[in-house]
Amino acid sequence: MIWPLGIWTASLLILAGGALGAVLLRASWQRREGTAPALLAGGWAILLGLVIAAACVIGPVKGTALALAMEGIGALGVVWQGRVRRKAARVREIDAAPEPLEEPGRFWRGVLRTLLAGPLGMTAAMAVAFCVTVYMPGDPRTRIVIGGLLMPVLWGLAMTWTLADRRLLRATAVLVGTSAAGFALAILGGMISGAAA
């Protein structure tokens, strides 16, 4: 058990670690010649390592929830800082690369993106949430609550990624594959746990 002062210290450390991981990932993705593997691996290692460390020190449920929340806040700060810089750069007309959402739109692509981001994104998010609920250790009631809270977050991520991606076939393939794999794994895990019981 960790004391309340230790929770505050751990929260600040996780917040700083989430910001550092986001900075490394952002630096990797901003490379013109492609992603830098060292920066990419370092960013994800920091983010995942903090979640595992918090789960071990604070507890599997409280530590994981605290790490995910504080890392998200730290990463959001980095994203917000980048948005302000990009806006200033656009005013100075230095930004030459168009944003994905600034491309000229066609009606049929808009309808397709809406269908992908809405129903198909929700299906993929539901499949991943079911997997988390089935395979996560702990009390079944806790797993159901975490899966239910995770579902809208995953749906929002799927919608954002789908709307920002220019290649509709890639977005379709990823969402359909995630839905199929997630539901198949959730059904398999349910059958295994039912047979064990």
Side-chain angles (χ1 to χ4, degrees):
M1 185 70 181
I2 193 166
W3 294 100
L5 185 60
I7 290 284
W8 283 105
T9 306
S11 299
L12 292 176
L13 289 175
I14 295 169
L15 180 72
L20 177 61
V23 166
L24 292 177
L25 291 176
R26 187 168 182 263
S28 168
W29 293 333
Q30 281 182 334
R31 295 288 177 99
R32 294 281 183 187
E33 64 275 7
T35 59
L39 292 174
L40 192 65
W44 283 117
I46 289 173
L47 295 177
L48 293 175
L50 285 172
V51 173
I52 294 170
C56 292
V57 174
I58 300 171
V61 176
K62 290 182 181 178
T64 303
L66 179 68
L68 292 176
M70 297 310 291
E71 282 184 359
I73 293 171
L76 189 61
V78 173
V79 171
W80 181 260
Q81 185 182 13
R83 187 198 71 82
V84 172
R85 287 180 181 173
R86 182 164 292 279
K87 183 177 178 183
R90 191 175 293 132
V91 169
R92 293 194 305 265
E93 296 181 354
I94 294 175
D95 189 11
E99 290 291 322
L101 296 178
E102 290 177 357
E103 63 181 353
R106 295 186 179 93
F107 179 74
W108 66 270
R109 286 179 68 89
V111 171
L112 216 59
R113 282 186 193 277
T114 303
L115 291 175
L116 286 175
L120 197 55
M122 181 189 65
T123 306
M126 194 180 303
V128 176
F130 281 175
C131 274
V132 170
T133 303
V134 169
Y135 289 102
M136 185 177 172
D139 187 6
R141 292 171 293 185
T142 304
R143 291 184 292 163
I144 291 170
V145 170
I146 291 176
L149 292 174
L150 196 59
M151 194 263 175
V153 175
L154 294 171
W155 190 10
L157 291 174
M159 290 177 70
T160 304
W161 176 73
T162 304
L163 293 173
D165 194 357
R166 291 185 180 185
R167 299 182 180 177
L168 293 178
L169 287 177
R170 178 172 59 189
T172 305
V174 169
L175 291 176
V176 169
T178 303
S179 301
F183 282 122
L185 289 172
I187 291 170
L188 181 65
M191 290 170 59
I192 291 173
S193 62

